[in-house]
Amino acid sequence: MTDWLFSPAPTPSLPIHGSPQRFPVRRILCVGQNYAAHAREMGHDRAEPFFFTKPADAVVVDGADPVFPLATANLHHEVELVCAVGVGGTIAGWAVGCDLTRRDLQAAAKDKGRPWDAAKGFDQSAPCGPITPGPLPDPAALIALSVNGEVRQSGRLDDMVWNPDEILAKARTLWDVRPGDLIFTGTPEGVGPLQPGDRVEASIGGLEPLVFTVKPR
């Protein structure tokens, strides 16, 4: 019997602004508590950021709308600057991303000292806009997210505890960072819940915006 045989899934990829080429996603690394105000709203003092991961196929691309996930009653938005790692393991481009989080599952995992995988690495948990190649347009750019036209998150990139170059250097001490890696660099304060039907607009000055609607299951 050959019922178990199947073709490999296609490699997830992101569009590159101004280019017909696409960026193949190898894996997704994420930094937690990298904005001091967000760390405080989550009940923590300012501290060294730490990493968690999402699978490459968690990325949601090309303006697609993620489906409200299973097993949660408290889905949260977290707007983030995303670094795209290119040839030589350097940051080759940037995008606007949204780290969707099953906050109730995360809280339960924290209480029991368990991993966050189910809270962070679920299907369609990483909507991401197109990659803009080159240097970051402005380290002081505004980063913001609105839901149904209401601003929920607003900050500046230079509010980050660790800047992107420092984050990349830290990641290299833990992984063999390679082309195709995405690094979500943390979120400012104002994270909050999403419901099916909510329209999310996320932006960072100088980058292509990320817009999606949460679809009902």
PDB file of all heavy atoms in Angstrom, residues 81-113:
ATOM      1  N   LEU A  81       7.898  44.468  13.800  1.00  0.00           N
ATOM      2  CA  LEU A  81       8.846  44.606  12.702  1.00  0.00           C
ATOM      3  C   LEU A  81       9.476  43.238  12.450  1.00  0.00           C
ATOM      4  O   LEU A  81       9.928  42.571  13.388  1.00  0.00           O
ATOM      5  CB  LEU A  81       9.934  45.609  13.071  1.00  0.00           C
ATOM      6  CG  LEU A  81      11.116  45.722  12.098  1.00  0.00           C
ATOM      7  CD1 LEU A  81      10.676  46.351  10.780  1.00  0.00           C
ATOM      8  CD2 LEU A  81      12.251  46.526  12.720  1.00  0.00           C
ATOM      9  N   VAL A  82       9.507  42.828  11.188  1.00  0.00           N
ATOM     10  CA  VAL A  82      10.067  41.530  10.819  1.00  0.00           C
ATOM     11  C   VAL A  82      11.355  41.746  10.025  1.00  0.00           C
ATOM     12  O   VAL A  82      11.379  42.520   9.060  1.00  0.00           O
ATOM     13  CB  VAL A  82       9.063  40.714   9.980  1.00  0.00           C
ATOM     14  CG1 VAL A  82       9.667  39.372   9.564  1.00  0.00           C
ATOM     15  CG2 VAL A  82       7.764  40.503  10.756  1.00  0.00           C
ATOM     16  N   CYS A  83      12.418  41.059  10.426  1.00  0.00           N
ATOM     17  CA  CYS A  83      13.690  41.069   9.699  1.00  0.00           C
ATOM     18  C   CYS A  83      13.750  39.850   8.789  1.00  0.00           C
ATOM     19  O   CYS A  83      13.464  38.732   9.231  1.00  0.00           O
ATOM     20  CB  CYS A  83      14.879  41.008  10.658  1.00  0.00           C
ATOM     21  SG  CYS A  83      14.896  42.244  11.956  1.00  0.00           S
ATOM     22  N   ALA A  84      14.136  40.059   7.547  1.00  0.00           N
ATOM     23  CA  ALA A  84      14.319  38.962   6.597  1.00  0.00           C
ATOM     24  C   ALA A  84      15.810  38.747   6.389  1.00  0.00           C
ATOM     25  O   ALA A  84      16.521  39.656   5.942  1.00  0.00           O
ATOM     26  CB  ALA A  84      13.640  39.282   5.271  1.00  0.00           C
ATOM     27  N   VAL A  85      16.296  37.569   6.709  1.00  0.00           N
ATOM     28  CA  VAL A  85      17.728  37.272   6.628  1.00  0.00           C
ATOM     29  C   VAL A  85      18.070  36.802   5.212  1.00  0.00           C
ATOM     30  O   VAL A  85      17.419  35.906   4.664  1.00  0.00           O
ATOM     31  CB  VAL A  85      18.123  36.198   7.655  1.00  0.00           C
ATOM     32  CG1 VAL A  85      19.603  35.852   7.532  1.00  0.00           C
ATOM     33  CG2 VAL A  85      17.807  36.684   9.074  1.00  0.00           C
ATOM     34  N   GLY A  86      19.106  37.439   4.641  1.00  0.00           N
ATOM     35  CA  GLY A  86      19.514  37.124   3.283  1.00  0.00           C
ATOM     36  C   GLY A  86      20.873  36.457   3.218  1.00  0.00           C
ATOM     37  O   GLY A  86      21.357  35.865   4.197  1.00  0.00           O
ATOM     38  N   VAL A  87      21.511  36.565   2.065  1.00  0.00           N
ATOM     39  CA  VAL A  87      22.813  35.947   1.822  1.00  0.00           C
ATOM     40  C   VAL A  87      23.829  36.475   2.833  1.00  0.00           C
ATOM     41  O   VAL A  87      23.879  37.669   3.126  1.00  0.00           O
ATOM     42  CB  VAL A  87      23.280  36.225   0.387  1.00  0.00           C
ATOM     43  CG1 VAL A  87      24.683  35.674   0.159  1.00  0.00           C
ATOM     44  CG2 VAL A  87      22.304  35.615  -0.613  1.00  0.00           C
ATOM     45  N   GLY A  88      24.625  35.559   3.396  1.00  0.00           N
ATOM     46  CA  GLY A  88      25.622  35.941   4.374  1.00  0.00           C
ATOM     47  C   GLY A  88      25.082  36.059   5.779  1.00  0.00           C
ATOM     48  O   GLY A  88      25.824  36.423   6.702  1.00  0.00           O
ATOM     49  N   GLY A  89      23.794  35.751   5.945  1.00  0.00           N
ATOM     50  CA  GLY A  89      23.207  35.800   7.283  1.00  0.00           C
ATOM     51  C   GLY A  89      22.966  37.202   7.799  1.00  0.00           C
ATOM     52  O   GLY A  89      22.823  37.408   9.010  1.00  0.00           O
ATOM     53  N   THR A  90      22.933  38.195   6.894  1.00  0.00           N
ATOM     54  CA  THR A  90      22.652  39.568   7.295  1.00  0.00           C
ATOM     55  C   THR A  90      21.188  39.902   7.030  1.00  0.00           C
ATOM     56  O   THR A  90      20.493  39.185   6.306  1.00  0.00           O
ATOM     57  CB  THR A  90      23.545  40.547   6.525  1.00  0.00           C
ATOM     58  OG1 THR A  90      23.287  40.414   5.122  1.00  0.00           O
ATOM     59  CG2 THR A  90      25.022  40.266   6.793  1.00  0.00           C
ATOM     60  N   ILE A  91      20.723  41.004   7.598  1.00  0.00           N
ATOM     61  CA  ILE A  91      19.351  41.428   7.371  1.00  0.00           C
ATOM     62  C   ILE A  91      19.261  42.068   5.996  1.00  0.00           C
ATOM     63  O   ILE A  91      19.881  43.095   5.732  1.00  0.00           O
ATOM     64  CB  ILE A  91      18.888  42.404   8.461  1.00  0.00           C
ATOM     65  CG1 ILE A  91      18.945  41.741   9.834  1.00  0.00           C
ATOM     66  CG2 ILE A  91      17.455  42.872   8.166  1.00  0.00           C
ATOM     67  CD1 ILE A  91      18.664  42.686  10.991  1.00  0.00           C
ATOM     68  N   ALA A  92      18.469  41.450   5.102  1.00  0.00           N
ATOM     69  CA  ALA A  92      18.380  41.907   3.720  1.00  0.00           C
ATOM     70  C   ALA A  92      17.126  42.721   3.451  1.00  0.00           C
ATOM     71  O   ALA A  92      17.031  43.395   2.426  1.00  0.00           O
ATOM     72  CB  ALA A  92      18.409  40.706   2.777  1.00  0.00           C
ATOM     73  N   GLY A  93      16.142  42.646   4.349  1.00  0.00           N
ATOM     74  CA  GLY A  93      14.890  43.359   4.124  1.00  0.00           C
ATOM     75  C   GLY A  93      14.023  43.337   5.357  1.00  0.00           C
ATOM     76  O   GLY A  93      14.361  42.714   6.376  1.00  0.00           O
ATOM     77  N   TRP A  94      12.857  44.002   5.236  1.00  0.00           N
ATOM     78  CA  TRP A  94      11.995  44.249   6.387  1.00  0.00           C
ATOM     79  C   TRP A  94      10.534  44.110   5.991  1.00  0.00           C
ATOM     80  O   TRP A  94      10.164  44.343   4.841  1.00  0.00           O
ATOM     81  CB  TRP A  94      12.239  45.670   6.908  1.00  0.00           C
ATOM     82  CG  TRP A  94      13.682  45.996   7.065  1.00  0.00           C
ATOM     83  CD1 TRP A  94      14.518  46.489   6.089  1.00  0.00           C
ATOM     84  CD2 TRP A  94      14.481  45.824   8.225  1.00  0.00           C
ATOM     85  NE1 TRP A  94      15.783  46.638   6.583  1.00  0.00           N
ATOM     86  CE2 TRP A  94      15.799  46.250   7.902  1.00  0.00           C
ATOM     87  CE3 TRP A  94      14.227  45.382   9.518  1.00  0.00           C
ATOM     88  CZ2 TRP A  94      16.844  46.215   8.815  1.00  0.00           C
ATOM     89  CZ3 TRP A  94      15.267  45.358  10.431  1.00  0.00           C
ATOM     90  CH2 TRP A  94      16.554  45.769  10.079  1.00  0.00           C
ATOM     91  N   ALA A  95       9.695  43.768   6.944  1.00  0.00           N
ATOM     92  CA  ALA A  95       8.266  43.653   6.683  1.00  0.00           C
ATOM     93  C   ALA A  95       7.487  43.946   7.953  1.00  0.00           C
ATOM     94  O   ALA A  95       8.035  43.971   9.060  1.00  0.00           O
ATOM     95  CB  ALA A  95       7.931  42.251   6.158  1.00  0.00           C
ATOM     96  N   VAL A  96       6.202  44.154   7.770  1.00  0.00           N
ATOM     97  CA  VAL A  96       5.273  44.309   8.897  1.00  0.00           C
ATOM     98  C   VAL A  96       4.640  42.949   9.153  1.00  0.00           C
ATOM     99  O   VAL A  96       4.095  42.327   8.235  1.00  0.00           O
ATOM    100  CB  VAL A  96       4.179  45.339   8.577  1.00  0.00           C
ATOM    101  CG1 VAL A  96       3.240  45.502   9.778  1.00  0.00           C
ATOM    102  CG2 VAL A  96       4.787  46.675   8.195  1.00  0.00           C
ATOM    103  N   GLY A  97       4.717  42.473  10.384  1.00  0.00           N
ATOM    104  CA  GLY A  97       4.125  41.196  10.740  1.00  0.00           C
ATOM    105  C   GLY A  97       3.178  41.328  11.910  1.00  0.00           C
ATOM    106  O   GLY A  97       3.146  42.357  12.603  1.00  0.00           O
ATOM    107  N   CYS A  98       2.400  40.288  12.134  1.00  0.00           N
ATOM    108  CA  CYS A  98       1.500  40.235  13.282  1.00  0.00           C
ATOM    109  C   CYS A  98       1.631  38.866  13.935  1.00  0.00           C
ATOM    110  O   CYS A  98       1.341  37.842  13.306  1.00  0.00           O
ATOM    111  CB  CYS A  98       0.058  40.492  12.860  1.00  0.00           C
ATOM    112  SG  CYS A  98      -1.103  40.652  14.263  1.00  0.00           S
ATOM    113  N   ASP A  99       2.112  38.864  15.160  1.00  0.00           N
ATOM    114  CA  ASP A  99       2.242  37.626  15.938  1.00  0.00           C
ATOM    115  C   ASP A  99       0.902  37.353  16.615  1.00  0.00           C
ATOM    116  O   ASP A  99       0.588  37.941  17.645  1.00  0.00           O
ATOM    117  CB  ASP A  99       3.363  37.804  16.965  1.00  0.00           C
ATOM    118  CG  ASP A  99       3.409  36.694  18.008  1.00  0.00           C
ATOM    119  OD1 ASP A  99       2.805  35.627  17.777  1.00  0.00           O
ATOM    120  OD2 ASP A  99       4.051  36.898  19.054  1.00  0.00           O
ATOM    121  N   LEU A 100       0.088  36.494  16.005  1.00  0.00           N
ATOM    122  CA  LEU A 100      -1.182  36.114  16.622  1.00  0.00           C
ATOM    123  C   LEU A 100      -0.913  35.131  17.754  1.00  0.00           C
ATOM    124  O   LEU A 100      -0.114  34.203  17.614  1.00  0.00           O
ATOM    125  CB  LEU A 100      -2.112  35.494  15.582  1.00  0.00           C
ATOM    126  CG  LEU A 100      -2.565  36.431  14.452  1.00  0.00           C
ATOM    127  CD1 LEU A 100      -3.452  35.684  13.467  1.00  0.00           C
ATOM    128  CD2 LEU A 100      -3.287  37.653  15.007  1.00  0.00           C
ATOM    129  N   THR A 101      -1.604  35.343  18.875  1.00  0.00           N
ATOM    130  CA  THR A 101      -1.307  34.596  20.098  1.00  0.00           C
ATOM    131  C   THR A 101      -2.585  34.108  20.754  1.00  0.00           C
ATOM    132  O   THR A 101      -3.512  34.903  20.988  1.00  0.00           O
ATOM    133  CB  THR A 101      -0.538  35.489  21.096  1.00  0.00           C
ATOM    134  OG1 THR A 101       0.665  35.961  20.481  1.00  0.00           O
ATOM    135  CG2 THR A 101      -0.180  34.724  22.362  1.00  0.00           C
ATOM    136  N   ARG A 102      -2.646  32.808  21.059  1.00  0.00           N
ATOM    137  CA  ARG A 102      -3.758  32.288  21.868  1.00  0.00           C
ATOM    138  C   ARG A 102      -3.419  32.584  23.328  1.00  0.00           C
ATOM    139  O   ARG A 102      -2.783  31.786  24.003  1.00  0.00           O
ATOM    140  CB  ARG A 102      -3.940  30.788  21.615  1.00  0.00           C
ATOM    141  CG  ARG A 102      -4.378  30.504  20.184  1.00  0.00           C
ATOM    142  CD  ARG A 102      -4.897  29.098  19.966  1.00  0.00           C
ATOM    143  NE  ARG A 102      -3.840  28.129  19.776  1.00  0.00           N
ATOM    144  CZ  ARG A 102      -3.987  26.989  19.085  1.00  0.00           C
ATOM    145  NH1 ARG A 102      -5.147  26.689  18.519  1.00  0.00           N
ATOM    146  NH2 ARG A 102      -2.989  26.152  18.971  1.00  0.00           N
ATOM    147  N   ARG A 103      -3.838  33.780  23.802  1.00  0.00           N
ATOM    148  CA  ARG A 103      -3.390  34.270  25.095  1.00  0.00           C
ATOM    149  C   ARG A 103      -3.830  33.385  26.246  1.00  0.00           C
ATOM    150  O   ARG A 103      -3.105  33.231  27.239  1.00  0.00           O
ATOM    151  CB  ARG A 103      -3.899  35.694  25.318  1.00  0.00           C
ATOM    152  CG  ARG A 103      -3.240  36.403  26.499  1.00  0.00           C
ATOM    153  CD  ARG A 103      -1.784  36.722  26.203  1.00  0.00           C
ATOM    154  NE  ARG A 103      -1.660  37.843  25.281  1.00  0.00           N
ATOM    155  CZ  ARG A 103      -0.577  38.103  24.556  1.00  0.00           C
ATOM    156  NH1 ARG A 103       0.497  37.316  24.655  1.00  0.00           N
ATOM    157  NH2 ARG A 103      -0.531  39.135  23.731  1.00  0.00           N
ATOM    158  N   ASP A 104      -5.009  32.798  26.151  1.00  0.00           N
ATOM    159  CA  ASP A 104      -5.464  31.929  27.239  1.00  0.00           C
ATOM    160  C   ASP A 104      -4.590  30.681  27.346  1.00  0.00           C
ATOM    161  O   ASP A 104      -4.233  30.253  28.453  1.00  0.00           O
ATOM    162  CB  ASP A 104      -6.937  31.556  27.080  1.00  0.00           C
ATOM    163  CG  ASP A 104      -7.338  31.201  25.655  1.00  0.00           C
ATOM    164  OD1 ASP A 104      -6.479  31.201  24.746  1.00  0.00           O
ATOM    165  OD2 ASP A 104      -8.534  30.928  25.442  1.00  0.00           O
ATOM    166  N   LEU A 105      -4.172  30.127  26.214  1.00  0.00           N
ATOM    167  CA  LEU A 105      -3.292  28.965  26.251  1.00  0.00           C
ATOM    168  C   LEU A 105      -1.905  29.358  26.746  1.00  0.00           C
ATOM    169  O   LEU A 105      -1.250  28.586  27.464  1.00  0.00           O
ATOM    170  CB  LEU A 105      -3.192  28.318  24.869  1.00  0.00           C
ATOM    171  CG  LEU A 105      -4.485  27.772  24.255  1.00  0.00           C
ATOM    172  CD1 LEU A 105      -4.152  26.925  23.028  1.00  0.00           C
ATOM    173  CD2 LEU A 105      -5.288  26.967  25.253  1.00  0.00           C
ATOM    174  N   GLN A 106      -1.460  30.555  26.383  1.00  0.00           N
ATOM    175  CA  GLN A 106      -0.161  31.018  26.861  1.00  0.00           C
ATOM    176  C   GLN A 106      -0.176  31.190  28.382  1.00  0.00           C
ATOM    177  O   GLN A 106       0.769  30.790  29.071  1.00  0.00           O
ATOM    178  CB  GLN A 106       0.209  32.344  26.198  1.00  0.00           C
ATOM    179  CG  GLN A 106       1.608  32.824  26.560  1.00  0.00           C
ATOM    180  CD  GLN A 106       1.892  34.207  26.035  1.00  0.00           C
ATOM    181  OE1 GLN A 106       1.023  35.074  26.006  1.00  0.00           O
ATOM    182  NE2 GLN A 106       3.122  34.424  25.588  1.00  0.00           N
ATOM    183  N   ALA A 107      -1.249  31.793  28.905  1.00  0.00           N
ATOM    184  CA  ALA A 107      -1.338  31.997  30.352  1.00  0.00           C
ATOM    185  C   ALA A 107      -1.352  30.665  31.097  1.00  0.00           C
ATOM    186  O   ALA A 107      -0.704  30.512  32.143  1.00  0.00           O
ATOM    187  CB  ALA A 107      -2.588  32.811  30.686  1.00  0.00           C
ATOM    188  N   ALA A 108      -2.090  29.689  30.556  1.00  0.00           N
ATOM    189  CA  ALA A 108      -2.139  28.373  31.197  1.00  0.00           C
ATOM    190  C   ALA A 108      -0.775  27.702  31.176  1.00  0.00           C
ATOM    191  O   ALA A 108      -0.356  27.072  32.153  1.00  0.00           O
ATOM    192  CB  ALA A 108      -3.181  27.498  30.500  1.00  0.00           C
ATOM    193  N   ALA A 109      -0.041  27.854  30.053  1.00  0.00           N
ATOM    194  CA  ALA A 109       1.303  27.265  29.958  1.00  0.00           C
ATOM    195  C   ALA A 109       2.256  27.924  30.949  1.00  0.00           C
ATOM    196  O   ALA A 109       3.059  27.253  31.600  1.00  0.00           O
ATOM    197  CB  ALA A 109       1.821  27.401  28.534  1.00  0.00           C
ATOM    198  N   LYS A 110       2.169  29.247  31.066  1.00  0.00           N
ATOM    199  CA  LYS A 110       3.027  29.964  32.022  1.00  0.00           C
ATOM    200  C   LYS A 110       2.768  29.486  33.447  1.00  0.00           C
ATOM    201  O   LYS A 110       3.702  29.278  34.230  1.00  0.00           O
ATOM    202  CB  LYS A 110       2.775  31.469  31.926  1.00  0.00           C
ATOM    203  CG  LYS A 110       3.355  32.137  30.706  1.00  0.00           C
ATOM    204  CD  LYS A 110       3.057  33.628  30.746  1.00  0.00           C
ATOM    205  CE  LYS A 110       3.669  34.376  29.599  1.00  0.00           C
ATOM    206  NZ  LYS A 110       3.362  35.823  29.655  1.00  0.00           N
ATOM    207  N   ASP A 111       1.492  29.336  33.794  1.00  0.00           N
ATOM    208  CA  ASP A 111       1.140  28.930  35.157  1.00  0.00           C
ATOM    209  C   ASP A 111       1.737  27.573  35.513  1.00  0.00           C
ATOM    210  O   ASP A 111       2.094  27.320  36.674  1.00  0.00           O
ATOM    211  CB  ASP A 111      -0.383  28.876  35.319  1.00  0.00           C
ATOM    212  CG  ASP A 111      -1.007  30.260  35.381  1.00  0.00           C
ATOM    213  OD1 ASP A 111      -0.272  31.240  35.591  1.00  0.00           O
ATOM    214  OD2 ASP A 111      -2.244  30.361  35.202  1.00  0.00           O
ATOM    215  N   LYS A 112       1.852  26.694  34.510  1.00  0.00           N
ATOM    216  CA  LYS A 112       2.348  25.344  34.752  1.00  0.00           C
ATOM    217  C   LYS A 112       3.813  25.161  34.353  1.00  0.00           C
ATOM    218  O   LYS A 112       4.338  24.049  34.431  1.00  0.00           O
ATOM    219  CB  LYS A 112       1.473  24.337  34.003  1.00  0.00           C
ATOM    220  CG  LYS A 112       0.021  24.313  34.499  1.00  0.00           C
ATOM    221  CD  LYS A 112      -0.810  23.318  33.720  1.00  0.00           C
ATOM    222  CE  LYS A 112      -2.257  23.315  34.235  1.00  0.00           C
ATOM    223  NZ  LYS A 112      -3.111  22.382  33.474  1.00  0.00           N
ATOM    224  N   GLY A 113       4.456  26.255  33.931  1.00  0.00           N
ATOM    225  CA  GLY A 113       5.849  26.162  33.525  1.00  0.00           C
ATOM    226  C   GLY A 113       6.062  25.321  32.283  1.00  0.00           C
ATOM    227  O   GLY A 113       7.107  24.684  32.131  1.00  0.00           O
TER     228      GLY A 113
END
